[in-house]
Amino acid sequence: MSKIREEGVIDPFSVLIDLENGTMPEPSNRITRKASDMRGYYADGKALEELITSGNDPLHYEVLERPVPQARGHLMYCISRLMPGRVGEELFMTKGHYHSVKETAEIYLCLGGEGYMAMKTAGGAWAVERMERGRMVYVPPTWAHRSINTGREILSSFCVYPGEAGHNYGDIEKEGFPKRIFMKGGRIVME
Ligand code: S6P
Ligand code: ZN
């Protein structure tokens, strides 16, 4: 018998999350960002071009998901996996974004690796939170967010955010973040 569903209503489901390895073994979507997708984001554009050409354009990060409707009431969720590495002295990071619907928050539960979540508001507020296995970062509404991998392992997180949130990358492309995170002389520095 066919099921009658209201718009946006779907059947329940479950999905396996590999907590030990910080991954989703059977995603239906895999979004990838390679070094060549990161042009304009790093301080050292020349080092990025070298990584693209001599370094064979390595994977920067991937997002694994089994999407649900991008609608109010639903919860989007995914596994975000950021590779370890550097562009010049700057540590690998995600592009970073505001949510298009500003009133939407996000939870990042770190499953492995180490790094930071950098956050900023359009009004000039700035914050950074440590990411490490078992630590949850709460990104409040209106805060843009970007993760940075400061370790040698993949920085992996389970993310949850409202279905209607959407992603606004354009403003961060223009504004950037007030601080960058580098590895200089074996030390992590923020400047
Ligand atoms: C989505 C959530 C994450 C990021 C992912 C990649 O709201 O914040 O899944 O999409 O970490 O970062 P970005 O900035 O390229 O979307
Ligand atoms: Zn987000």
PDB file of all heavy atoms in Angstrom, residues 97-99 106 108 145 161 166-167, ligand 2:
ATOM      1  N   HIS A  97      32.074  29.332   6.154  1.00  0.00           N
ATOM      2  CA  HIS A  97      30.830  29.932   5.644  1.00  0.00           C
ATOM      3  C   HIS A  97      29.965  30.457   6.778  1.00  0.00           C
ATOM      4  O   HIS A  97      30.103  30.030   7.923  1.00  0.00           O
ATOM      5  CB  HIS A  97      30.041  28.878   4.849  1.00  0.00           C
ATOM      6  CG  HIS A  97      29.710  27.669   5.667  1.00  0.00           C
ATOM      7  ND1 HIS A  97      30.496  26.538   5.683  1.00  0.00           N
ATOM      8  CD2 HIS A  97      28.686  27.410   6.526  1.00  0.00           C
ATOM      9  CE1 HIS A  97      29.972  25.652   6.503  1.00  0.00           C
ATOM     10  NE2 HIS A  97      28.873  26.142   7.030  1.00  0.00           N
ATOM     11  N   TYR A  98      29.094  31.373   6.425  1.00  0.00           N
ATOM     12  CA  TYR A  98      27.933  31.711   7.264  1.00  0.00           C
ATOM     13  C   TYR A  98      26.814  30.789   6.798  1.00  0.00           C
ATOM     14  O   TYR A  98      26.834  30.303   5.655  1.00  0.00           O
ATOM     15  CB  TYR A  98      27.455  33.146   7.016  1.00  0.00           C
ATOM     16  CG  TYR A  98      28.372  34.252   7.469  1.00  0.00           C
ATOM     17  CD1 TYR A  98      29.219  34.894   6.568  1.00  0.00           C
ATOM     18  CD2 TYR A  98      28.348  34.693   8.792  1.00  0.00           C
ATOM     19  CE1 TYR A  98      30.043  35.938   6.975  1.00  0.00           C
ATOM     20  CE2 TYR A  98      29.156  35.730   9.202  1.00  0.00           C
ATOM     21  CZ  TYR A  98      30.006  36.352   8.298  1.00  0.00           C
ATOM     22  OH  TYR A  98      30.808  37.387   8.710  1.00  0.00           O
ATOM     23  N   HIS A  99      25.829  30.582   7.629  1.00  0.00           N
ATOM     24  CA  HIS A  99      24.620  29.932   7.130  1.00  0.00           C
ATOM     25  C   HIS A  99      23.766  31.007   6.455  1.00  0.00           C
ATOM     26  O   HIS A  99      23.697  32.143   6.933  1.00  0.00           O
ATOM     27  CB  HIS A  99      23.867  29.248   8.275  1.00  0.00           C
ATOM     28  CG  HIS A  99      24.577  28.011   8.764  1.00  0.00           C
ATOM     29  ND1 HIS A  99      24.303  27.428   9.960  1.00  0.00           N
ATOM     30  CD2 HIS A  99      25.559  27.264   8.191  1.00  0.00           C
ATOM     31  CE1 HIS A  99      25.083  26.363  10.105  1.00  0.00           C
ATOM     32  NE2 HIS A  99      25.867  26.249   9.044  1.00  0.00           N
ATOM     33  N   GLU A 106      24.918  25.387  14.714  1.00  0.00           N
ATOM     34  CA  GLU A 106      25.478  24.105  14.277  1.00  0.00           C
ATOM     35  C   GLU A 106      26.252  23.475  15.425  1.00  0.00           C
ATOM     36  O   GLU A 106      26.859  24.176  16.234  1.00  0.00           O
ATOM     37  CB  GLU A 106      26.401  24.308  13.067  1.00  0.00           C
ATOM     38  CG  GLU A 106      26.960  23.003  12.523  1.00  0.00           C
ATOM     39  CD  GLU A 106      27.425  23.109  11.081  1.00  0.00           C
ATOM     40  OE1 GLU A 106      27.180  24.132  10.427  1.00  0.00           O
ATOM     41  OE2 GLU A 106      28.033  22.137  10.618  1.00  0.00           O
ATOM     42  N   TYR A 108      29.298  20.679  16.147  1.00  0.00           N
ATOM     43  CA  TYR A 108      30.394  19.857  15.629  1.00  0.00           C
ATOM     44  C   TYR A 108      30.881  18.978  16.776  1.00  0.00           C
ATOM     45  O   TYR A 108      31.410  19.502  17.759  1.00  0.00           O
ATOM     46  CB  TYR A 108      31.591  20.723  15.204  1.00  0.00           C
ATOM     47  CG  TYR A 108      31.530  21.306  13.824  1.00  0.00           C
ATOM     48  CD1 TYR A 108      30.672  22.344  13.518  1.00  0.00           C
ATOM     49  CD2 TYR A 108      32.387  20.844  12.825  1.00  0.00           C
ATOM     50  CE1 TYR A 108      30.641  22.901  12.258  1.00  0.00           C
ATOM     51  CE2 TYR A 108      32.374  21.401  11.554  1.00  0.00           C
ATOM     52  CZ  TYR A 108      31.503  22.420  11.273  1.00  0.00           C
ATOM     53  OH  TYR A 108      31.481  22.972  10.024  1.00  0.00           O
ATOM     54  N   HIS A 145      31.933  29.949  10.353  1.00  0.00           N
ATOM     55  CA  HIS A 145      32.800  28.944  10.968  1.00  0.00           C
ATOM     56  C   HIS A 145      33.692  28.268   9.936  1.00  0.00           C
ATOM     57  O   HIS A 145      33.285  28.032   8.807  1.00  0.00           O
ATOM     58  CB  HIS A 145      31.962  27.910  11.731  1.00  0.00           C
ATOM     59  CG  HIS A 145      30.701  27.520  11.037  1.00  0.00           C
ATOM     60  ND1 HIS A 145      29.623  28.368  10.912  1.00  0.00           N
ATOM     61  CD2 HIS A 145      30.344  26.376  10.408  1.00  0.00           C
ATOM     62  CE1 HIS A 145      28.656  27.759  10.251  1.00  0.00           C
ATOM     63  NE2 HIS A 145      29.076  26.549   9.919  1.00  0.00           N
ATOM     64  N   TYR A 161      23.004  20.435  11.803  1.00  0.00           N
ATOM     65  CA  TYR A 161      22.498  21.805  11.680  1.00  0.00           C
ATOM     66  C   TYR A 161      21.113  21.781  11.043  1.00  0.00           C
ATOM     67  O   TYR A 161      20.740  20.808  10.384  1.00  0.00           O
ATOM     68  CB  TYR A 161      23.478  22.670  10.874  1.00  0.00           C
ATOM     69  CG  TYR A 161      23.854  22.137   9.515  1.00  0.00           C
ATOM     70  CD1 TYR A 161      23.271  22.650   8.359  1.00  0.00           C
ATOM     71  CD2 TYR A 161      24.793  21.108   9.372  1.00  0.00           C
ATOM     72  CE1 TYR A 161      23.609  22.164   7.104  1.00  0.00           C
ATOM     73  CE2 TYR A 161      25.133  20.625   8.121  1.00  0.00           C
ATOM     74  CZ  TYR A 161      24.542  21.149   6.996  1.00  0.00           C
ATOM     75  OH  TYR A 161      24.876  20.651   5.758  1.00  0.00           O
ATOM     76  N   GLY A 166      21.310  26.368   4.845  1.00  0.00           N
ATOM     77  CA  GLY A 166      21.982  26.817   3.613  1.00  0.00           C
ATOM     78  C   GLY A 166      23.400  27.297   3.909  1.00  0.00           C
ATOM     79  O   GLY A 166      23.797  27.440   5.076  1.00  0.00           O
ATOM     80  N   HIS A 167      24.177  27.544   2.862  1.00  0.00           N
ATOM     81  CA  HIS A 167      25.577  27.955   3.026  1.00  0.00           C
ATOM     82  C   HIS A 167      25.847  29.234   2.258  1.00  0.00           C
ATOM     83  O   HIS A 167      25.534  29.320   1.077  1.00  0.00           O
ATOM     84  CB  HIS A 167      26.518  26.853   2.531  1.00  0.00           C
ATOM     85  CG  HIS A 167      26.450  25.613   3.361  1.00  0.00           C
ATOM     86  ND1 HIS A 167      25.516  24.632   3.134  1.00  0.00           N
ATOM     87  CD2 HIS A 167      27.166  25.224   4.427  1.00  0.00           C
ATOM     88  CE1 HIS A 167      25.675  23.683   4.037  1.00  0.00           C
ATOM     89  NE2 HIS A 167      26.673  24.008   4.829  1.00  0.00           N
TER      90      HIS A 167
HETATM   91 ZN    ZN B   2      27.944  25.233   8.770  1.00  0.00          ZN
END
